[in-house]
Amino acid sequence: MVNRHVSYYHLANEGIDPQTLQGIRHDQPIPTKTLDRLCRMSECQPGELVEYLEDGKEDM
């Protein structure tokens, strides 16, 4: 989102639910339908927005 200059404010104005935005901020799961919308809005692939980490192996 940062690289594409997409803010949470912009996402909210595009109809992303506030609870979903809160979940994104806190690394909580989001529905695949929301992931689809985020990819369309950001013109990117899902792998550019998410990263798979095994439980207990967070390196970020």
Side-chain angles (χ1 to χ4, degrees):
M1 288 176 35
V2 172
N3 293 340
R4 298 188 187 277
H5 306 289
V6 177
S7 67
Y8 288 108
Y9 178 78
H10 175 75
L11 295 177
N13 286 334
E14 291 293 322
I16 302 294
D17 183 69
Q19 289 179 317
T20 301
L21 291 174
Q22 184 71 5
I24 292 170
R25 285 187 188 106
H26 295 284
D27 294 327
Q28 296 174 347
I30 61 168
T32 53
K33 201 172 230 182
T34 301
L35 181 59
D36 176 62
R37 289 184 70 196
L38 292 172
C39 288
R40 288 176 190 269
M41 290 167 42
S42 301
E43 298 178 355
C44 66
Q45 293 294 311
E48 296 178 68
L49 297 177
V50 297
E51 178 183 20
Y52 172 76
L53 298 172
E54 290 184 47
D55 286 341
K57 293 187 178 183
E58 295 183 24
D59 294 327
M60 295 175 88

